[in-house]
Amino acid sequence: MLTRRHFTISAAALFSQPLAGIANAAPTSKKSSWDAWDAQITPVDFDPATTNPWGLHRRFLPQRVDARSNLKVGDIHVDAVARYLYHIDGQGTAMRYGVAIARGNLYEPGTFSIRRKAKWPTWTPTPAMIKRDPHLYEQHAEGMNAGPSNPLGSRALYLYRGNRDSYLRIHGSPNPGSIGGRASSGCVRMVMAHINGLYENVSTGVTAHLHPAEDQVTASS
Protein backbone atom coordinates (compact mmCIF):
# COMPACT_ATOMS: atom_id res chain seq x y z
CA MET A 1 0.00 0.00 0.00
CA LEU A 2 2.71 2.49 0.94
CA THR A 3 4.59 3.96 -2.00
CA ARG A 4 8.11 5.33 -2.01
CA ARG A 5 7.72 8.05 -4.65
CA HIS A 6 9.13 11.42 -3.63
CA PHE A 7 7.46 14.76 -4.31
CA THR A 8 8.68 18.05 -2.85
CA ILE A 9 7.06 21.46 -2.67
CA SER A 10 9.08 24.13 -0.91
CA ALA A 11 7.12 26.46 1.34
CA ALA A 12 7.71 28.84 4.24
CA ALA A 13 6.00 28.57 7.63
CA LEU A 14 3.12 30.94 8.31
CA PHE A 15 2.88 32.80 11.58
CA SER A 16 0.69 35.71 12.63
CA GLN A 17 1.83 38.69 14.62
CA PRO A 18 1.25 38.75 18.40
CA LEU A 19 -2.22 39.86 19.40
CA ALA A 20 -2.29 43.16 21.24
CA GLY A 21 -3.31 43.28 24.87
CA ILE A 22 -2.92 39.60 25.78
CA ALA A 23 0.70 39.47 26.97
CA ASN A 24 1.15 36.81 29.67
CA ALA A 25 -2.46 35.65 29.24
CA ALA A 26 -3.20 31.96 28.69
CA PRO A 27 -4.08 31.28 25.04
CA THR A 28 -7.76 30.61 24.43
CA SER A 29 -10.04 28.78 22.03
CA LYS A 30 -13.52 30.30 21.90
CA LYS A 31 -16.07 27.56 21.25
CA SER A 32 -18.53 30.21 20.11
CA SER A 33 -16.24 30.84 17.12
CA TRP A 34 -15.63 27.23 16.08
CA ASP A 35 -18.48 26.96 13.56
CA ALA A 36 -17.59 30.28 11.95
CA TRP A 37 -13.94 29.26 11.69
CA ASP A 38 -14.90 25.91 10.17
CA ALA A 39 -16.97 27.73 7.56
CA GLN A 40 -14.08 30.11 6.88
CA ILE A 41 -11.59 27.34 6.07
CA THR A 42 -14.00 25.05 4.18
CA PRO A 43 -14.48 25.87 0.46
CA VAL A 44 -18.01 26.36 -0.83
CA ASP A 45 -19.58 23.10 -2.09
CA PHE A 46 -16.60 21.23 -0.68
CA ASP A 47 -15.97 17.78 -2.17
CA PRO A 48 -12.83 16.28 -0.61
CA ALA A 49 -11.97 14.25 -3.70
CA THR A 50 -12.17 17.12 -6.19
CA THR A 51 -12.18 20.53 -4.49
CA ASN A 52 -8.74 22.08 -4.82
CA PRO A 53 -8.50 25.86 -4.41
CA TRP A 54 -5.06 25.31 -2.85
CA GLY A 55 -3.49 24.19 -6.13
CA LEU A 56 -2.29 20.86 -4.72
CA HIS A 57 -1.08 18.03 -6.91
CA ARG A 58 -4.15 15.83 -7.46
CA ARG A 59 -2.56 12.89 -5.67
CA PHE A 60 -2.70 14.83 -2.39
CA LEU A 61 -6.50 15.08 -2.45
CA PRO A 62 -8.30 12.60 -0.16
CA GLN A 63 -9.16 9.30 -1.78
CA ARG A 64 -10.00 5.76 -0.76
CA VAL A 65 -7.35 3.18 -1.63
CA ASP A 66 -6.80 -0.55 -1.10
CA ALA A 67 -5.08 -1.53 2.16
CA ARG A 68 -3.22 -4.66 3.19
CA SER A 69 -5.38 -7.04 5.21
CA ASN A 70 -2.85 -7.27 8.07
CA LEU A 71 -3.13 -3.57 8.97
CA LYS A 72 -5.09 -2.80 12.12
CA VAL A 73 -8.40 -1.05 11.64
CA GLY A 74 -8.36 2.51 12.98
CA ASP A 75 -4.59 2.94 12.89
CA ILE A 76 -2.82 5.73 11.05
CA HIS A 77 0.24 5.27 8.86
CA VAL A 78 2.30 8.20 7.60
CA ASP A 79 4.38 7.45 4.51
CA ALA A 80 6.92 10.20 4.96
CA VAL A 81 8.56 9.64 1.57
CA ALA A 82 5.44 9.87 -0.58
CA ARG A 83 3.87 12.41 1.86
CA TYR A 84 0.72 10.37 2.48
CA LEU A 85 -1.31 9.69 5.60
CA TYR A 86 -3.43 6.53 5.57
CA HIS A 87 -6.32 5.92 7.96
CA ILE A 88 -7.18 2.21 7.92
CA ASP A 89 -10.89 1.31 7.85
CA GLY A 90 -12.64 -2.04 8.19
CA GLN A 91 -13.40 -2.60 4.54
CA GLY A 92 -9.97 -3.63 3.29
CA THR A 93 -9.36 -0.02 2.33
CA ALA A 94 -7.92 3.18 3.77
CA MET A 95 -8.51 6.88 3.36
CA ARG A 96 -5.38 8.53 1.98
CA TYR A 97 -4.50 12.20 2.48
CA GLY A 98 -1.61 14.39 1.42
CA VAL A 99 0.62 15.73 4.20
CA ALA A 100 3.74 17.76 4.87
CA ILE A 101 6.36 16.52 7.30
CA ALA A 102 9.14 18.10 9.34
CA ARG A 103 12.14 19.66 7.71
CA GLY A 104 15.59 18.11 7.99
CA ASN A 105 16.34 16.00 11.03
CA LEU A 106 13.32 17.32 12.93
CA TYR A 107 11.11 14.55 11.53
CA GLU A 108 10.84 11.78 14.13
CA PRO A 109 9.72 8.36 12.87
CA GLY A 110 8.27 5.89 15.33
CA THR A 111 5.16 4.35 16.80
CA PHE A 112 2.88 6.58 18.85
CA SER A 113 -0.55 6.46 20.43
CA ILE A 114 -3.13 9.16 19.89
CA ARG A 115 -4.10 10.05 23.43
CA ARG A 116 -5.86 13.33 22.83
CA LYS A 117 -7.85 15.14 20.13
CA ALA A 118 -8.67 18.84 20.01
CA LYS A 119 -10.82 21.11 17.88
CA TRP A 120 -9.36 24.54 17.17
CA PRO A 121 -6.47 24.03 19.60
CA THR A 122 -4.29 26.70 21.10
CA TRP A 123 -0.54 26.46 20.52
CA THR A 124 2.64 27.19 22.45
CA PRO A 125 6.09 26.55 20.93
CA THR A 126 8.38 24.28 22.93
CA PRO A 127 11.52 25.70 24.58
CA ALA A 128 13.58 23.76 22.01
CA MET A 129 11.73 25.45 19.15
CA ILE A 130 12.27 28.89 20.68
CA LYS A 131 15.96 28.22 21.21
CA ARG A 132 16.40 26.88 17.67
CA ASP A 133 14.43 29.59 15.83
CA PRO A 134 13.87 32.55 18.17
CA HIS A 135 13.01 34.87 15.27
CA LEU A 136 10.00 32.67 14.50
CA TYR A 137 8.84 31.46 17.88
CA GLU A 138 9.92 33.78 20.68
CA GLN A 139 7.01 36.14 20.06
CA HIS A 140 4.63 33.25 20.85
CA ALA A 141 6.38 32.03 24.00
CA GLU A 142 3.26 32.71 26.09
CA GLY A 143 1.05 30.83 23.62
CA MET A 144 -1.19 31.69 20.72
CA ASN A 145 -4.99 31.82 20.58
CA ALA A 146 -6.86 29.34 18.45
CA GLY A 147 -8.08 30.44 15.04
CA PRO A 148 -7.47 30.07 11.31
CA SER A 149 -3.95 31.52 11.54
CA ASN A 150 -2.86 29.32 14.47
CA PRO A 151 -0.10 26.88 13.36
CA LEU A 152 -2.12 23.88 14.63
CA GLY A 153 -5.08 24.91 12.49
CA SER A 154 -8.57 23.54 12.94
CA ARG A 155 -7.89 20.11 14.45
CA ALA A 156 -5.02 18.33 16.17
CA LEU A 157 -4.25 14.72 17.09
CA TYR A 158 -1.72 14.51 19.94
CA LEU A 159 0.93 11.80 19.73
CA TYR A 160 2.22 10.08 22.86
CA ARG A 161 4.92 7.53 23.64
CA GLY A 162 3.32 5.57 26.46
CA ASN A 163 2.07 8.20 28.90
CA ARG A 164 4.52 10.85 27.73
CA ASP A 165 3.49 13.59 25.35
CA SER A 166 5.95 13.56 22.45
CA TYR A 167 4.96 17.14 21.50
CA LEU A 168 4.39 15.81 17.99
CA ARG A 169 1.01 16.39 16.39
CA ILE A 170 -0.96 15.54 13.29
CA HIS A 171 -2.71 18.82 12.65
CA GLY A 172 -4.28 21.21 10.21
CA SER A 173 -2.16 23.98 8.77
CA PRO A 174 -2.86 27.58 7.73
CA ASN A 175 -0.22 27.01 5.02
CA PRO A 176 -1.77 24.43 2.64
CA GLY A 177 0.92 25.17 0.06
CA SER A 178 3.37 23.23 2.23
CA ILE A 179 1.57 19.93 1.60
CA GLY A 180 3.91 17.53 -0.17
CA GLY A 181 7.01 19.13 1.28
CA ARG A 182 9.11 19.34 4.41
CA ALA A 183 8.18 22.44 6.33
CA SER A 184 7.29 21.87 9.97
CA SER A 185 9.29 21.67 13.20
CA GLY A 186 8.36 18.04 13.83
CA CYS A 187 4.64 17.61 13.24
CA VAL A 188 2.65 16.16 10.35
CA ARG A 189 0.58 18.82 8.58
CA MET A 190 -2.67 18.50 6.64
CA VAL A 191 -5.05 20.82 4.83
CA MET A 192 -7.53 22.02 7.44
CA ALA A 193 -10.60 21.01 5.43
CA HIS A 194 -9.08 17.52 5.08
CA ILE A 195 -8.18 16.93 8.71
CA ASN A 196 -11.66 18.03 9.75
CA GLY A 197 -13.01 14.94 7.99
CA LEU A 198 -10.28 12.65 9.32
CA TYR A 199 -10.73 13.93 12.87
CA GLU A 200 -14.31 12.70 13.12
CA ASN A 201 -13.25 9.14 12.28
CA VAL A 202 -10.17 8.81 14.52
CA SER A 203 -10.60 7.40 18.02
CA THR A 204 -8.28 8.13 20.92
CA GLY A 205 -6.11 5.15 21.78
CA VAL A 206 -5.32 4.16 18.20
CA THR A 207 -1.75 3.85 16.98
CA ALA A 208 -0.01 6.25 14.62
CA HIS A 209 2.94 4.81 12.70
CA LEU A 210 5.30 7.49 11.37
CA HIS A 211 7.48 5.72 8.83
CA PRO A 212 11.01 6.96 8.00
CA ALA A 213 11.55 9.85 5.59
CA GLU A 214 13.65 9.59 2.44
CA ASP A 215 16.84 10.68 4.18
CA GLN A 216 16.30 8.03 6.86
CA VAL A 217 15.77 5.08 4.52
CA THR A 218 18.91 3.04 3.75
CA ALA A 219 19.38 0.36 1.13
CA SER A 220 19.64 -3.20 2.39
CA SER A 221 20.86 -6.34 0.64
Side-chain angles (χ1 to χ4, degrees):
M1 177 191 72
L2 301 179
T3 78
R4 283 290 176 267
R5 190 156 60 98
H6 176 54
F7 185 85
T8 302
I9 300 174
S10 62
L14 177 67
F15 296 95
S16 70
Q17 293 299 312
L19 300 177
I22 62 167
N24 300 317
T28 61
S29 178
K30 297 181 180 178
K31 291 185 178 181
S32 60
S33 299
W34 287 2
D35 288 346
W37 289 339
D38 279 345
Q40 182 178 335
I41 58 90
T42 305
V44 177
D45 299 324
F46 178 59
D47 177 357
T50 60
T51 301
N52 189 17
W54 313 284
L56 303 177
H57 191 286
R58 288 182 59 187
R59 74 186 184 94
F60 293 128
L61 298 179
Q63 58 181 289
R64 192 169 298 281
V65 297
D66 292 335
R68 294 199 305 266
S69 60
N70 63 333
L71 296 177
K72 186 177 179 180
V73 173
D75 279 1
I76 285 175
H77 290 261
V78 174
D79 179 348
V81 176
R83 312 292 196 256
Y84 290 143
L85 179 149
Y86 296 88
H87 183 226
I88 311 302
D89 64 26
Q91 310 300 319
T93 58
M95 280 301 299
R96 190 184 79 188
Y97 304 85
V99 299
I101 65 168
R103 62 187 187 271
N105 62 4
L106 298 178
Y107 178 74
E108 185 176 344
T111 301
F112 305 85
S113 61
I114 295 175
R115 299 287 299 274
R116 179 187 169 202
K117 301 166 52 177
K119 292 185 177 181
W120 290 106
T122 60
W123 171 77
T124 302
T126 66
M129 293 169 66
I130 295 172
K131 182 177 180 180
R132 184 173 58 246
D133 295 303
H135 61 293
L136 291 177
Y137 301 122
E138 195 166 34
Q139 61 181 318
H140 301 298
E142 300 298 329
M144 184 175 178
N145 289 343
S149 63
N150 185 292
L152 292 185
S154 56
R155 305 288 189 274
L157 307 175
Y158 293 71
L159 306 186
Y160 282 67
R161 291 187 185 274
N163 294 321
R164 181 179 65 85
D165 187 355
S166 70
Y167 296 101
L168 301 177
R169 316 286 184 244
I170 298 170
H171 65 85
S173 174
N175 185 13
S178 66
I179 301 303
R182 305 192 66 162
S184 76
S185 290
C187 298
V188 175
R189 296 180 176 183
M190 296 177 62
V191 171
M192 286 195 271
H194 295 170
I195 198 173
N196 284 8
L198 171 67
Y199 181 94
E200 298 301 326
N201 295 306
V202 172
S203 301
T204 55
V206 303
T207 301
H209 304 267
L210 274 57
H211 298 280
E214 61 272 12
D215 53 3
Q216 299 165 326
V217 176
T218 58
S220 60
S221 57

